[in-house]
Amino acid sequence: LLETGLGGTLDSTNVLDRPLATIITPVARDHEHFLGNDLATIASQKAGIMRRNVPCFSARQDSIVADEIAKHASGLGVKLFSAETDFIGRQNIDGRITLAFENTNLHHAKVTLPKPSLSGMHQIDNALAAASCALKLGIAPDLIKKGLENTLTEKGRLAFTELENFNILDDSYNANPQSMKAAIDAINNFSGEKVLVLGSMAELGNDSLKLHQEIGDYARQSNIQHLLTIGEDAKEYQGKQFEDIDSIYKSILNNHQGSTILIKGSRMMR
């Protein structure tokens, strides 16, 4: 299993000539300095993971992204399985997910899966694409269920830590507008006082300030009590701005005991 972290076309791990299958997780505006300044161009780069006659599974995407992926698949003769078209996931009242397949030759018409052990609703989209691919490759549903139940959170990817004075939701691995919104949605599932500690988002090109403003607006429209920010572009969030990490830490200790704190920003903020 190889992850092409930057983009399907350019990433150094994109070395297999004929993998068993490929998966495209939700595409967002990120790494624009390398991948391009609009969703269609970025999607075109991400679609570079596809290989001729190798099936590709695409998670739920923006319509611009979905169209670009479909165009590349058609040009390469790739059998494309797309969320909301070929496989559909619905969360049940008990938290489990029903994964149904439409218009495909997959062997299972409907499978009930556990909710992924990872935090965030966006992980359901990722899990559905992964489970659909696994089923296509002949992996038994019971093994897929076991995998979803026992997946461990990577450091910096919505990792939850319960401390004596407050709880930390660490999503500091990296940041783009889509993942920022997903992280804010995730902390909204927690009760009590909620604090956002947001750093700047990098590699967003000419729209960087506008995109930071949009995230600030999104945070204020959510059930968040406090927004603490650090970084030059992070000023556009219009929260309480700090000059260094130590100042933020002292503010949290003095003012936010017992709260749940989301920490997120691009890795260049370290």
Side-chain angles (χ1 to χ4, degrees):
L1 178 63
L2 295 179
E3 179 194 13
T4 58
L6 176 62
T9 300
L10 298 176
D11 199 277
S12 59
T13 59
N14 190 16
V15 296
L16 296 181
D17 181 57
R18 189 171 175 81
L20 295 175
T22 61
I23 299 174
I24 301 178
T25 54
V27 174
R29 296 187 65 169
D30 200 359
H31 304 302
E32 293 193 16
H33 180 68
F34 301 100
L35 303 181
N37 293 321
D38 60 80
L39 270 178
T41 306
I42 294 170
S44 176
Q45 291 289 334
K46 297 289 187 179
I49 194 176
M50 294 182 186
R51 291 292 183 268
R52 187 174 299 278
N53 298 322
V54 173
C56 177
F57 293 78
S58 177
R60 190 158 55 102
Q61 308 283 1
D62 179 276
S63 59
I64 294 174
V65 174
D67 289 346
E68 193 68 27
I69 290 173
K71 182 176 72 174
H72 278 257
S74 177
L76 287 172
V78 168
K79 174 57 179 175
L80 179 64
F81 298 90
S82 299
E84 303 300 323
T85 301
D86 300 301
F87 58 92
I88 301 171
R90 295 290 180 263
Q91 190 165 11
N92 304 324
I93 295 176
D94 61 4
R96 295 186 300 169
I97 306 163
T98 298
L99 176 58
F101 299 98
E102 305 288 341
N103 306 319
T104 76
N105 60 354
L106 291 167
H107 299 299
H108 304 270
K110 187 176 291 187
V111 179
T112 300
L113 302 170
K115 183 178 179 181
S117 59
L118 306 178
S119 299
M121 292 299 294
H122 62 291
Q123 296 292 2
I124 293 178
D125 290 333
N126 293 332
L128 290 172
S132 299
C133 179
L135 287 168
K136 175 65 175 177
L137 295 179
I139 297 175
D142 286 345
L143 288 178
I144 297 172
K145 295 174 184 178
K146 185 176 180 180
L148 290 175
E149 290 172 333
N150 294 286
T151 302
L152 299 177
T153 302
E154 290 285 335
K155 181 180 179 181
R157 293 183 181 270
L158 283 177
F160 180 73
T161 303
E162 188 172 356
L163 302 175
E164 181 178 354
N165 297 320
F166 40 73
N167 300 321
I168 298 291
L169 195 58
D170 177 11
D171 200 36
S172 59
Y173 177 80
N174 215 342
N176 61 49
Q178 183 171 316
S179 68
M180 277 284 192
K181 291 178 180 179
I184 293 170
D185 291 344
I187 195 175
N188 269 326
N189 292 321
F190 291 83
S191 59
E193 182 184 59
K194 291 175 277 291
V195 180
L196 299 185
V197 177
L198 301 185
S200 299
M201 299 179 287
E203 299 177 345
L204 292 181
N206 296 332
D207 291 336
S208 180
L209 298 185
K210 175 187 174 183
L211 293 170
H212 280 79
Q213 291 166 6
E214 289 178 359
I215 294 302
D217 292 342
Y218 191 86
R220 279 182 288 278
Q221 294 165 7
S222 302
N223 187 27
I224 305 296
Q225 285 74 44
H226 303 280
L227 174 57
L228 314 183
T229 63
I230 183 171
E232 187 61 30
D233 285 5
K235 294 176 181 178
E236 301 299 324
Y237 296 136
Q238 298 181 23
K240 184 176 180 180
Q241 181 74 6
F242 291 81
E243 295 302 318
D244 54 68
I245 298 293
D246 288 341
S247 298
I248 293 179
Y249 180 64
K250 291 176 182 177
S251 178
I252 290 172
L253 283 180
N254 293 332
N255 304 305
H256 304 297
Q257 297 277 339
S259 62
T260 299
I261 301 162
L262 170 66
I263 301 174
K264 187 164 182 63
S266 289
R267 282 182 286 177
M268 63 87 176
M269 291 299 302
R270 292 178 180 175

